[in-house]
Amino acid sequence: MRTLILASGMLGLALIAVPVDANAVVCARGVVRAGCAGPNGAVVARRPVPGAVVVRPVPRAVVVRPAPVRCAIVNGRRVCR
């Protein structure tokens, strides 16, 4: 019986002495922001405005003016460019 208690005590001490990294991540959701904090730092994100409306401009007719026509008389003929 003494051996069993001694062995379990040694095993318990061995498990306590093993180093373990803390990888806890804590997240919270607030009214305006939500954020998480972990071992590498913290992140905060703003919530989007509820019911946001995206307004697109109405496509309008595009007026394209014709390029000015330039005409000249070359060798007795009318040439327009």
Side-chain angles (χ1 to χ4, degrees):
M1 184 72 162
R2 182 197 273 173
T3 310
L4 182 64
I5 294 173
L6 185 61
S8 64
M10 297 277 270
L11 181 64
L13 286 175
L15 290 177
I16 292 173
V18 174
V20 178
D21 291 335
N23 292 327
V25 176
V26 178
C27 293
R29 191 186 314 184
V31 177
V32 179
R33 297 182 198 136
C36 292
N40 295 330
V43 176
V44 176
R46 298 193 110 181
R47 289 184 163 194
V49 177
V53 178
V54 177
V55 179
R56 294 184 182 172
V58 179
R60 297 182 181 175
V62 178
V63 177
V64 179
R65 295 182 181 169
V69 180
R70 297 183 182 169
C71 297
I73 297 176
V74 178
N75 295 330
R77 300 179 111 184
R78 183 176 177 191
V79 178
C80 296
R81 294 185 187 175

Short mmCIF file of all heavy atoms in Angstrom, two decimals:
data_model
loop_
_atom_site.label_atom_id
_atom_site.label_comp_id
_atom_site.label_asym_id
_atom_site.label_seq_id
_atom_site.Cartn_x
_atom_site.Cartn_y
_atom_site.Cartn_z
N MET A 1 0.82 -1.18 0.00
CA MET A 1 0.00 0.00 0.00
C MET A 1 0.87 1.26 0.00
O MET A 1 0.54 2.24 -0.66
CB MET A 1 -0.91 -0.06 1.24
CG MET A 1 -1.86 1.07 1.31
SD MET A 1 -3.09 0.81 0.04
CE MET A 1 -4.34 1.85 0.58
N ARG A 2 1.96 1.17 0.79
CA ARG A 2 2.85 2.31 0.87
C ARG A 2 3.47 2.59 -0.50
O ARG A 2 3.66 3.75 -0.88
CB ARG A 2 3.92 2.01 1.90
CG ARG A 2 4.86 3.17 2.07
CD ARG A 2 6.14 2.77 2.74
NE ARG A 2 6.08 2.82 4.19
CZ ARG A 2 7.06 2.37 4.96
NH1 ARG A 2 8.10 1.79 4.44
NH2 ARG A 2 6.98 2.47 6.26
N THR A 3 3.79 1.55 -1.26
CA THR A 3 4.38 1.69 -2.59
C THR A 3 3.41 2.37 -3.56
O THR A 3 3.80 3.22 -4.36
CB THR A 3 4.77 0.31 -3.15
OG1 THR A 3 5.53 -0.40 -2.18
CG2 THR A 3 5.57 0.44 -4.41
N LEU A 4 2.15 2.02 -3.46
CA LEU A 4 1.13 2.62 -4.32
C LEU A 4 0.96 4.12 -4.04
O LEU A 4 0.89 4.94 -4.96
CB LEU A 4 -0.20 1.88 -4.14
CG LEU A 4 -1.36 2.36 -5.01
CD1 LEU A 4 -1.04 2.12 -6.48
CD2 LEU A 4 -2.63 1.64 -4.62
N ILE A 5 0.94 4.49 -2.79
CA ILE A 5 0.81 5.90 -2.41
C ILE A 5 2.06 6.66 -2.84
O ILE A 5 1.98 7.77 -3.36
CB ILE A 5 0.57 6.03 -0.89
CG1 ILE A 5 -0.79 5.45 -0.52
CG2 ILE A 5 0.65 7.49 -0.46
CD1 ILE A 5 -1.04 5.38 0.96
N LEU A 6 3.21 6.09 -2.65
CA LEU A 6 4.46 6.73 -3.04
C LEU A 6 4.54 6.91 -4.56
O LEU A 6 4.93 7.96 -5.06
CB LEU A 6 5.65 5.91 -2.53
CG LEU A 6 7.03 6.51 -2.75
CD1 LEU A 6 7.15 7.84 -2.02
CD2 LEU A 6 8.10 5.55 -2.29
N ALA A 7 4.11 5.89 -5.30
CA ALA A 7 4.13 5.97 -6.77
C ALA A 7 3.15 7.02 -7.28
O ALA A 7 3.47 7.80 -8.20
CB ALA A 7 3.81 4.61 -7.37
N SER A 8 1.95 7.08 -6.72
CA SER A 8 0.98 8.09 -7.17
C SER A 8 1.43 9.49 -6.80
O SER A 8 1.21 10.46 -7.54
CB SER A 8 -0.40 7.78 -6.60
OG SER A 8 -0.38 7.88 -5.19
N GLY A 9 2.08 9.64 -5.66
CA GLY A 9 2.63 10.96 -5.27
C GLY A 9 3.73 11.40 -6.22
O GLY A 9 3.81 12.57 -6.60
N MET A 10 4.61 10.50 -6.60
CA MET A 10 5.69 10.83 -7.54
C MET A 10 5.11 11.21 -8.90
O MET A 10 5.59 12.14 -9.54
CB MET A 10 6.64 9.63 -7.68
CG MET A 10 7.34 9.27 -6.41
SD MET A 10 8.77 10.27 -6.14
CE MET A 10 9.99 9.31 -6.94
N LEU A 11 4.08 10.48 -9.34
CA LEU A 11 3.44 10.78 -10.62
C LEU A 11 2.77 12.16 -10.57
O LEU A 11 2.86 12.94 -11.52
CB LEU A 11 2.42 9.70 -10.98
CG LEU A 11 1.70 9.88 -12.30
CD1 LEU A 11 2.69 9.80 -13.46
CD2 LEU A 11 0.61 8.84 -12.47
N GLY A 12 2.11 12.47 -9.47
CA GLY A 12 1.48 13.78 -9.30
C GLY A 12 2.49 14.91 -9.33
O GLY A 12 2.28 15.96 -9.96
N LEU A 13 3.62 14.75 -8.67
CA LEU A 13 4.67 15.77 -8.69
C LEU A 13 5.27 15.93 -10.08
O LEU A 13 5.63 17.03 -10.50
CB LEU A 13 5.76 15.41 -7.67
CG LEU A 13 5.40 15.62 -6.20
CD1 LEU A 13 6.53 15.11 -5.31
CD2 LEU A 13 5.12 17.08 -5.93
N ALA A 14 5.39 14.83 -10.79
CA ALA A 14 5.95 14.89 -12.15
C ALA A 14 5.00 15.65 -13.08
O ALA A 14 5.45 16.43 -13.94
CB ALA A 14 6.20 13.49 -12.69
N LEU A 15 3.70 15.46 -12.92
CA LEU A 15 2.74 16.19 -13.76
C LEU A 15 2.69 17.68 -13.42
O LEU A 15 2.46 18.51 -14.29
CB LEU A 15 1.34 15.57 -13.61
CG LEU A 15 1.16 14.19 -14.22
CD1 LEU A 15 -0.24 13.67 -13.92
CD2 LEU A 15 1.39 14.23 -15.72
N ILE A 16 2.89 18.03 -12.17
CA ILE A 16 2.89 19.44 -11.77
C ILE A 16 4.13 20.14 -12.30
O ILE A 16 4.09 21.30 -12.69
CB ILE A 16 2.80 19.55 -10.24
CG1 ILE A 16 1.43 19.08 -9.77
CG2 ILE A 16 3.04 20.97 -9.78
CD1 ILE A 16 1.29 19.00 -8.26
N ALA A 17 5.26 19.45 -12.33
CA ALA A 17 6.53 20.07 -12.71
C ALA A 17 6.68 20.26 -14.22
O ALA A 17 7.58 20.97 -14.67
CB ALA A 17 7.69 19.23 -12.18
N VAL A 18 5.80 19.66 -15.05
CA VAL A 18 5.92 19.78 -16.50
C VAL A 18 5.45 21.17 -16.92
O VAL A 18 4.33 21.57 -16.60
CB VAL A 18 5.08 18.69 -17.20
CG1 VAL A 18 5.08 18.90 -18.71
CG2 VAL A 18 5.58 17.31 -16.85
N PRO A 19 6.30 21.94 -17.63
CA PRO A 19 5.87 23.28 -18.06
C PRO A 19 4.83 23.20 -19.19
O PRO A 19 4.96 22.41 -20.12
CB PRO A 19 7.15 23.94 -18.57
CG PRO A 19 8.04 22.81 -18.92
CD PRO A 19 7.67 21.67 -18.01
N VAL A 20 3.80 24.02 -19.09
CA VAL A 20 2.73 24.03 -20.06
C VAL A 20 2.53 25.47 -20.53
O VAL A 20 2.47 26.39 -19.71
CB VAL A 20 1.41 23.49 -19.45
CG1 VAL A 20 0.28 23.56 -20.45
CG2 VAL A 20 1.61 22.08 -18.95
N ASP A 21 2.45 25.67 -21.85
CA ASP A 21 2.19 27.00 -22.38
C ASP A 21 0.74 27.38 -22.13
O ASP A 21 -0.16 26.56 -22.27
CB ASP A 21 2.46 27.05 -23.88
CG ASP A 21 3.93 26.90 -24.19
OD1 ASP A 21 4.74 27.24 -23.32
OD2 ASP A 21 4.25 26.45 -25.30
N ALA A 22 0.52 28.65 -21.82
CA ALA A 22 -0.84 29.15 -21.64
C ALA A 22 -1.34 29.64 -23.00
O ALA A 22 -0.82 30.59 -23.57
CB ALA A 22 -0.85 30.28 -20.63
N ASN A 23 -2.32 28.97 -23.55
CA ASN A 23 -2.88 29.32 -24.85
C ASN A 23 -4.33 29.76 -24.74
O ASN A 23 -5.13 29.52 -25.63
CB ASN A 23 -2.78 28.14 -25.82
CG ASN A 23 -1.35 27.83 -26.17
OD1 ASN A 23 -0.53 28.73 -26.23
ND2 ASN A 23 -1.04 26.58 -26.38
N ALA A 24 -4.68 30.39 -23.66
CA ALA A 24 -6.07 30.80 -23.46
C ALA A 24 -6.40 31.98 -24.35
O ALA A 24 -5.61 32.90 -24.54
CB ALA A 24 -6.28 31.17 -22.00
N VAL A 25 -7.59 31.95 -24.92
CA VAL A 25 -8.09 33.06 -25.73
C VAL A 25 -9.42 33.48 -25.13
O VAL A 25 -10.30 32.65 -24.90
CB VAL A 25 -8.27 32.63 -27.20
CG1 VAL A 25 -8.89 33.76 -28.00
CG2 VAL A 25 -6.94 32.23 -27.79
N VAL A 26 -9.55 34.77 -24.87
CA VAL A 26 -10.77 35.29 -24.28
C VAL A 26 -11.40 36.25 -25.28
O VAL A 26 -10.74 37.16 -25.77
CB VAL A 26 -10.46 36.03 -22.96
CG1 VAL A 26 -11.73 36.62 -22.38
CG2 VAL A 26 -9.81 35.09 -21.98
N CYS A 27 -12.67 36.04 -25.59
CA CYS A 27 -13.39 36.92 -26.51
C CYS A 27 -14.61 37.49 -25.81
O CYS A 27 -15.23 36.84 -24.98
CB CYS A 27 -13.84 36.16 -27.76
SG CYS A 27 -12.46 35.62 -28.78
N ALA A 28 -14.94 38.72 -26.18
CA ALA A 28 -16.13 39.38 -25.63
C ALA A 28 -16.82 40.16 -26.73
O ALA A 28 -16.17 40.68 -27.63
CB ALA A 28 -15.73 40.30 -24.49
N ARG A 29 -18.13 40.21 -26.63
CA ARG A 29 -18.92 40.95 -27.61
C ARG A 29 -19.64 42.06 -26.88
O ARG A 29 -20.45 41.82 -26.00
CB ARG A 29 -19.91 40.01 -28.28
CG ARG A 29 -20.57 40.64 -29.47
CD ARG A 29 -21.66 39.80 -30.05
NE ARG A 29 -21.31 38.40 -30.20
CZ ARG A 29 -22.10 37.51 -30.76
NH1 ARG A 29 -23.28 37.86 -31.18
NH2 ARG A 29 -21.73 36.26 -30.88
N GLY A 30 -19.33 43.30 -27.28
CA GLY A 30 -19.98 44.45 -26.65
C GLY A 30 -21.02 45.05 -27.57
O GLY A 30 -21.32 44.54 -28.65
N VAL A 31 -21.58 46.18 -27.13
CA VAL A 31 -22.61 46.86 -27.93
C VAL A 31 -21.99 47.49 -29.17
O VAL A 31 -22.55 47.42 -30.26
CB VAL A 31 -23.31 47.93 -27.08
CG1 VAL A 31 -24.33 48.68 -27.90
CG2 VAL A 31 -23.97 47.28 -25.88
N VAL A 32 -20.84 48.10 -29.00
CA VAL A 32 -20.20 48.81 -30.12
C VAL A 32 -19.09 47.98 -30.75
O VAL A 32 -18.94 47.97 -31.97
CB VAL A 32 -19.62 50.16 -29.62
CG1 VAL A 32 -18.92 50.89 -30.75
CG2 VAL A 32 -20.72 51.01 -29.04
N ARG A 33 -18.31 47.26 -29.93
CA ARG A 33 -17.14 46.55 -30.44
C ARG A 33 -17.13 45.11 -29.97
O ARG A 33 -17.76 44.76 -28.98
CB ARG A 33 -15.86 47.21 -29.94
CG ARG A 33 -15.68 48.59 -30.42
CD ARG A 33 -14.36 49.12 -29.91
NE ARG A 33 -14.38 50.58 -30.01
CZ ARG A 33 -13.96 51.38 -29.08
NH1 ARG A 33 -13.46 50.92 -27.98
NH2 ARG A 33 -14.01 52.68 -29.26
N ALA A 34 -16.38 44.31 -30.69
CA ALA A 34 -16.11 42.94 -30.27
C ALA A 34 -14.60 42.76 -30.27
O ALA A 34 -13.91 43.34 -31.10
CB ALA A 34 -16.76 41.95 -31.22
N GLY A 35 -14.07 41.99 -29.34
CA GLY A 35 -12.63 41.85 -29.27
C GLY A 35 -12.22 40.53 -28.67
O GLY A 35 -12.98 39.88 -27.95
N CYS A 36 -10.97 40.12 -28.98
CA CYS A 36 -10.39 38.91 -28.44
C CYS A 36 -8.99 39.22 -27.94
O CYS A 36 -8.27 40.03 -28.54
CB CYS A 36 -10.31 37.82 -29.51
SG CYS A 36 -11.90 37.20 -30.02
N ALA A 37 -8.61 38.58 -26.84
CA ALA A 37 -7.26 38.73 -26.30
C ALA A 37 -6.66 37.34 -26.15
O ALA A 37 -7.30 36.43 -25.61
CB ALA A 37 -7.30 39.44 -24.96
N GLY A 38 -5.45 37.18 -26.68
CA GLY A 38 -4.78 35.89 -26.61
C GLY A 38 -3.34 36.07 -26.21
O GLY A 38 -2.91 37.16 -25.83
N PRO A 39 -2.54 35.01 -26.30
CA PRO A 39 -1.14 35.09 -25.88
C PRO A 39 -0.28 35.97 -26.79
O PRO A 39 0.76 36.46 -26.38
CB PRO A 39 -0.66 33.64 -25.92
CG PRO A 39 -1.58 32.97 -26.88
CD PRO A 39 -2.89 33.66 -26.74
N ASN A 40 -0.72 36.21 -28.02
CA ASN A 40 0.06 37.03 -28.96
C ASN A 40 -0.43 38.46 -29.05
O ASN A 40 0.08 39.24 -29.85
CB ASN A 40 0.03 36.40 -30.35
CG ASN A 40 0.72 35.05 -30.36
OD1 ASN A 40 1.64 34.82 -29.59
ND2 ASN A 40 0.25 34.16 -31.19
N GLY A 41 -1.42 38.84 -28.30
CA GLY A 41 -1.92 40.22 -28.34
C GLY A 41 -3.44 40.24 -28.37
O GLY A 41 -4.10 39.24 -28.14
N ALA A 42 -3.97 41.43 -28.66
CA ALA A 42 -5.42 41.61 -28.65
C ALA A 42 -5.88 42.18 -29.98
O ALA A 42 -5.14 42.86 -30.68
CB ALA A 42 -5.82 42.54 -27.52
N VAL A 43 -7.13 41.89 -30.33
CA VAL A 43 -7.73 42.38 -31.56
C VAL A 43 -9.10 42.96 -31.20
O VAL A 43 -9.87 42.34 -30.49
CB VAL A 43 -7.91 41.24 -32.59
CG1 VAL A 43 -8.63 41.75 -33.82
CG2 VAL A 43 -6.57 40.65 -32.95
N VAL A 44 -9.37 44.16 -31.71
CA VAL A 44 -10.67 44.80 -31.49
C VAL A 44 -11.26 45.12 -32.84
O VAL A 44 -10.59 45.63 -33.72
CB VAL A 44 -10.53 46.09 -30.66
CG1 VAL A 44 -11.87 46.78 -30.53
CG2 VAL A 44 -9.95 45.76 -29.30
N ALA A 45 -12.53 44.81 -33.04
CA ALA A 45 -13.20 45.08 -34.31
C ALA A 45 -14.49 45.85 -34.03
O ALA A 45 -15.22 45.53 -33.10
CB ALA A 45 -13.52 43.78 -35.03
N ARG A 46 -14.74 46.87 -34.85
CA ARG A 46 -15.99 47.63 -34.72
C ARG A 46 -17.08 46.90 -35.46
O ARG A 46 -16.87 46.30 -36.50
CB ARG A 46 -15.82 49.02 -35.32
CG ARG A 46 -14.76 49.81 -34.60
CD ARG A 46 -14.84 51.22 -35.01
NE ARG A 46 -15.35 51.89 -33.82
CZ ARG A 46 -15.61 53.16 -33.72
NH1 ARG A 46 -15.44 53.92 -34.73
NH2 ARG A 46 -16.03 53.68 -32.61
N ARG A 47 -18.26 47.01 -34.93
CA ARG A 47 -19.40 46.38 -35.58
C ARG A 47 -19.93 47.30 -36.67
O ARG A 47 -19.89 48.51 -36.53
CB ARG A 47 -20.51 46.15 -34.56
CG ARG A 47 -20.17 45.06 -33.61
CD ARG A 47 -21.34 44.83 -32.72
NE ARG A 47 -21.18 43.54 -32.10
CZ ARG A 47 -22.13 42.93 -31.48
NH1 ARG A 47 -23.31 43.47 -31.39
NH2 ARG A 47 -21.93 41.77 -30.93
N PRO A 48 -20.44 46.72 -37.74
CA PRO A 48 -21.02 47.57 -38.79
C PRO A 48 -22.33 48.19 -38.32
O PRO A 48 -23.00 47.66 -37.43
CB PRO A 48 -21.27 46.60 -39.94
CG PRO A 48 -21.36 45.26 -39.30
CD PRO A 48 -20.47 45.31 -38.09
N VAL A 49 -22.66 49.31 -38.91
CA VAL A 49 -23.91 49.99 -38.56
C VAL A 49 -25.07 49.13 -39.05
O VAL A 49 -25.10 48.74 -40.22
CB VAL A 49 -23.96 51.38 -39.23
CG1 VAL A 49 -25.28 52.06 -38.94
CG2 VAL A 49 -22.79 52.21 -38.77
N PRO A 50 -26.02 48.81 -38.20
CA PRO A 50 -27.12 47.95 -38.64
C PRO A 50 -28.00 48.67 -39.66
O PRO A 50 -28.33 49.84 -39.49
CB PRO A 50 -27.89 47.64 -37.36
CG PRO A 50 -27.50 48.71 -36.41
CD PRO A 50 -26.13 49.15 -36.79
N GLY A 51 -28.35 47.97 -40.69
CA GLY A 51 -29.23 48.53 -41.70
C GLY A 51 -28.57 49.57 -42.58
O GLY A 51 -29.25 50.49 -43.05
N ALA A 52 -27.28 49.47 -42.78
CA ALA A 52 -26.60 50.42 -43.63
C ALA A 52 -27.07 50.27 -45.07
O ALA A 52 -27.23 49.16 -45.57
CB ALA A 52 -25.08 50.22 -43.55
N VAL A 53 -27.32 51.38 -45.73
CA VAL A 53 -27.82 51.37 -47.09
C VAL A 53 -26.73 51.88 -48.01
O VAL A 53 -26.15 52.94 -47.77
CB VAL A 53 -29.09 52.25 -47.22
CG1 VAL A 53 -29.58 52.26 -48.65
CG2 VAL A 53 -30.16 51.77 -46.28
N VAL A 54 -26.45 51.13 -49.06
CA VAL A 54 -25.47 51.54 -50.05
C VAL A 54 -26.22 52.19 -51.20
O VAL A 54 -27.10 51.58 -51.81
CB VAL A 54 -24.65 50.34 -50.56
CG1 VAL A 54 -23.68 50.77 -51.63
CG2 VAL A 54 -23.94 49.68 -49.40
N VAL A 55 -25.91 53.44 -51.47
CA VAL A 55 -26.59 54.18 -52.53
C VAL A 55 -25.67 54.26 -53.73
O VAL A 55 -24.55 54.77 -53.63
CB VAL A 55 -26.97 55.60 -52.06
CG1 VAL A 55 -27.64 56.36 -53.17
CG2 VAL A 55 -27.85 55.52 -50.84
N ARG A 56 -26.12 53.74 -54.84
CA ARG A 56 -25.34 53.79 -56.08
C ARG A 56 -25.84 54.95 -56.93
O ARG A 56 -27.05 55.19 -56.98
CB ARG A 56 -25.48 52.50 -56.86
CG ARG A 56 -24.88 51.31 -56.15
CD ARG A 56 -24.98 50.09 -57.01
NE ARG A 56 -24.44 48.95 -56.29
CZ ARG A 56 -24.53 47.72 -56.73
NH1 ARG A 56 -25.15 47.46 -57.85
NH2 ARG A 56 -24.01 46.74 -56.03
N PRO A 57 -24.95 55.63 -57.59
CA PRO A 57 -25.40 56.73 -58.45
C PRO A 57 -26.17 56.19 -59.66
O PRO A 57 -25.90 55.11 -60.16
CB PRO A 57 -24.11 57.41 -58.89
CG PRO A 57 -23.05 56.38 -58.69
CD PRO A 57 -23.51 55.51 -57.56
N VAL A 58 -27.15 56.95 -60.07
CA VAL A 58 -27.97 56.56 -61.22
C VAL A 58 -27.14 56.75 -62.49
O VAL A 58 -26.55 57.83 -62.69
CB VAL A 58 -29.25 57.42 -61.28
CG1 VAL A 58 -30.09 57.05 -62.48
CG2 VAL A 58 -30.03 57.27 -59.99
N PRO A 59 -27.08 55.74 -63.35
CA PRO A 59 -26.32 55.93 -64.58
C PRO A 59 -26.98 56.99 -65.46
O PRO A 59 -28.19 56.97 -65.69
CB PRO A 59 -26.35 54.55 -65.25
CG PRO A 59 -27.43 53.80 -64.58
CD PRO A 59 -27.65 54.41 -63.25
N ARG A 60 -26.20 57.93 -65.89
CA ARG A 60 -26.71 59.01 -66.72
C ARG A 60 -26.23 58.83 -68.15
O ARG A 60 -25.24 58.17 -68.42
CB ARG A 60 -26.21 60.35 -66.19
CG ARG A 60 -26.71 60.64 -64.80
CD ARG A 60 -26.26 61.98 -64.34
NE ARG A 60 -26.74 62.23 -62.97
CZ ARG A 60 -26.43 63.27 -62.28
NH1 ARG A 60 -25.64 64.20 -62.78
NH2 ARG A 60 -26.90 63.43 -61.07
N ALA A 61 -26.97 59.46 -69.04
CA ALA A 61 -26.58 59.41 -70.45
C ALA A 61 -25.31 60.23 -70.65
O ALA A 61 -25.18 61.34 -70.13
CB ALA A 61 -27.69 59.96 -71.33
N VAL A 62 -24.39 59.67 -71.36
CA VAL A 62 -23.12 60.34 -71.61
C VAL A 62 -23.19 60.99 -72.98
O VAL A 62 -23.49 60.33 -73.98
CB VAL A 62 -21.95 59.33 -71.55
CG1 VAL A 62 -20.64 60.02 -71.85
CG2 VAL A 62 -21.92 58.66 -70.19
N VAL A 63 -22.94 62.28 -73.02
CA VAL A 63 -22.96 63.00 -74.29
C VAL A 63 -21.55 63.03 -74.84
O VAL A 63 -20.64 63.55 -74.19
CB VAL A 63 -23.49 64.44 -74.09
CG1 VAL A 63 -23.45 65.21 -75.40
CG2 VAL A 63 -24.89 64.39 -73.51
N VAL A 64 -21.39 62.48 -76.01
CA VAL A 64 -20.09 62.46 -76.65
C VAL A 64 -20.14 63.43 -77.82
O VAL A 64 -20.95 63.27 -78.74
CB VAL A 64 -19.73 61.04 -77.16
CG1 VAL A 64 -18.38 61.04 -77.85
CG2 VAL A 64 -19.75 60.06 -75.99
N ARG A 65 -19.30 64.40 -77.75
CA ARG A 65 -19.25 65.38 -78.84
C ARG A 65 -18.39 64.82 -79.96
O ARG A 65 -17.32 64.27 -79.71
CB ARG A 65 -18.68 66.70 -78.35
CG ARG A 65 -19.54 67.37 -77.33
CD ARG A 65 -18.95 68.69 -76.93
NE ARG A 65 -19.80 69.31 -75.91
CZ ARG A 65 -19.45 70.36 -75.21
NH1 ARG A 65 -18.27 70.91 -75.39
NH2 ARG A 65 -20.28 70.86 -74.32
N PRO A 66 -18.84 65.00 -81.17
CA PRO A 66 -18.02 64.52 -82.28
C PRO A 66 -16.75 65.35 -82.40
O PRO A 66 -16.73 66.54 -82.08
CB PRO A 66 -18.93 64.69 -83.51
CG PRO A 66 -19.92 65.71 -83.10
CD PRO A 66 -20.10 65.59 -81.63
N ALA A 67 -15.71 64.69 -82.82
CA ALA A 67 -14.44 65.40 -83.00
C ALA A 67 -14.61 66.42 -84.12
O ALA A 67 -15.35 66.20 -85.08
CB ALA A 67 -13.35 64.39 -83.36
N PRO A 68 -13.96 67.55 -83.98
CA PRO A 68 -14.09 68.56 -85.03
C PRO A 68 -13.52 68.05 -86.37
O PRO A 68 -12.45 67.44 -86.41
CB PRO A 68 -13.29 69.74 -84.51
CG PRO A 68 -12.36 69.17 -83.49
CD PRO A 68 -13.05 67.98 -82.92
N VAL A 69 -14.30 68.25 -87.38
CA VAL A 69 -13.89 67.79 -88.71
C VAL A 69 -13.08 68.91 -89.35
O VAL A 69 -13.54 70.03 -89.49
CB VAL A 69 -15.12 67.44 -89.57
CG1 VAL A 69 -14.68 66.98 -90.95
CG2 VAL A 69 -15.96 66.38 -88.88
N ARG A 70 -11.88 68.57 -89.73
CA ARG A 70 -11.02 69.55 -90.38
C ARG A 70 -10.85 69.16 -91.84
O ARG A 70 -10.44 68.06 -92.16
CB ARG A 70 -9.67 69.59 -89.70
CG ARG A 70 -9.79 70.04 -88.26
CD ARG A 70 -8.45 70.15 -87.60
NE ARG A 70 -8.66 70.55 -86.20
CZ ARG A 70 -7.73 70.53 -85.29
NH1 ARG A 70 -6.53 70.13 -85.61
NH2 ARG A 70 -7.99 70.90 -84.07
N CYS A 71 -11.20 70.06 -92.67
CA CYS A 71 -11.11 69.81 -94.10
C CYS A 71 -10.09 70.76 -94.72
O CYS A 71 -9.92 71.89 -94.28
CB CYS A 71 -12.47 70.01 -94.79
SG CYS A 71 -13.73 68.86 -94.21
N ALA A 72 -9.44 70.25 -95.72
CA ALA A 72 -8.47 71.07 -96.46
C ALA A 72 -8.50 70.62 -97.92
O ALA A 72 -8.93 69.53 -98.25
CB ALA A 72 -7.07 70.88 -95.87
N ILE A 73 -8.04 71.49 -98.77
CA ILE A 73 -7.96 71.16 -100.19
C ILE A 73 -6.50 70.84 -100.49
O ILE A 73 -5.61 71.66 -100.32
CB ILE A 73 -8.46 72.32 -101.05
CG1 ILE A 73 -9.94 72.55 -100.73
CG2 ILE A 73 -8.26 72.02 -102.52
CD1 ILE A 73 -10.54 73.71 -101.43
N VAL A 74 -6.29 69.57 -100.89
CA VAL A 74 -4.95 69.09 -101.20
C VAL A 74 -4.95 68.64 -102.66
O VAL A 74 -5.73 67.76 -103.05
CB VAL A 74 -4.55 67.92 -100.28
CG1 VAL A 74 -3.16 67.40 -100.64
CG2 VAL A 74 -4.59 68.35 -98.82
N ASN A 75 -4.08 69.24 -103.48
CA ASN A 75 -3.95 68.91 -104.90
C ASN A 75 -5.30 68.99 -105.61
O ASN A 75 -5.65 68.12 -106.41
CB ASN A 75 -3.33 67.53 -105.11
CG ASN A 75 -1.90 67.45 -104.64
OD1 ASN A 75 -1.17 68.46 -104.65
ND2 ASN A 75 -1.47 66.27 -104.22
N GLY A 76 -6.09 69.98 -105.27
CA GLY A 76 -7.35 70.19 -105.95
C GLY A 76 -8.47 69.30 -105.45
O GLY A 76 -9.58 69.34 -105.98
N ARG A 77 -8.28 68.53 -104.39
CA ARG A 77 -9.32 67.67 -103.83
C ARG A 77 -9.57 68.06 -102.38
O ARG A 77 -8.66 68.46 -101.67
CB ARG A 77 -8.91 66.19 -103.87
CG ARG A 77 -8.62 65.69 -105.25
CD ARG A 77 -8.20 64.26 -105.20
NE ARG A 77 -9.26 63.46 -105.80
CZ ARG A 77 -9.27 62.17 -105.87
NH1 ARG A 77 -8.29 61.49 -105.32
NH2 ARG A 77 -10.24 61.53 -106.46
N ARG A 78 -10.81 67.89 -101.97
CA ARG A 78 -11.16 68.19 -100.60
C ARG A 78 -10.88 66.96 -99.73
O ARG A 78 -11.41 65.88 -99.97
CB ARG A 78 -12.65 68.57 -100.55
CG ARG A 78 -13.09 68.98 -99.17
CD ARG A 78 -14.53 69.43 -99.20
NE ARG A 78 -14.94 69.75 -97.84
CZ ARG A 78 -16.16 69.97 -97.49
NH1 ARG A 78 -17.12 69.91 -98.37
NH2 ARG A 78 -16.45 70.27 -96.25
N VAL A 79 -10.06 67.12 -98.69
CA VAL A 79 -9.67 66.02 -97.78
C VAL A 79 -10.11 66.44 -96.37
O VAL A 79 -9.74 67.49 -95.88
CB VAL A 79 -8.15 65.79 -97.82
CG1 VAL A 79 -7.76 64.69 -96.84
CG2 VAL A 79 -7.69 65.47 -99.23
N CYS A 80 -10.93 65.57 -95.76
CA CYS A 80 -11.41 65.84 -94.40
C CYS A 80 -10.87 64.76 -93.44
O CYS A 80 -10.89 63.58 -93.76
CB CYS A 80 -12.94 65.84 -94.36
SG CYS A 80 -13.66 67.15 -95.35
N ARG A 81 -10.44 65.22 -92.32
CA ARG A 81 -9.90 64.29 -91.30
C ARG A 81 -10.62 64.46 -90.01
O ARG A 81 -11.05 65.45 -89.62
CB ARG A 81 -8.42 64.55 -91.09
CG ARG A 81 -7.62 64.23 -92.30
CD ARG A 81 -6.17 64.39 -92.02
NE ARG A 81 -5.44 64.24 -93.28
CZ ARG A 81 -4.18 64.41 -93.41
NH1 ARG A 81 -3.44 64.73 -92.39
NH2 ARG A 81 -3.60 64.24 -94.56
#
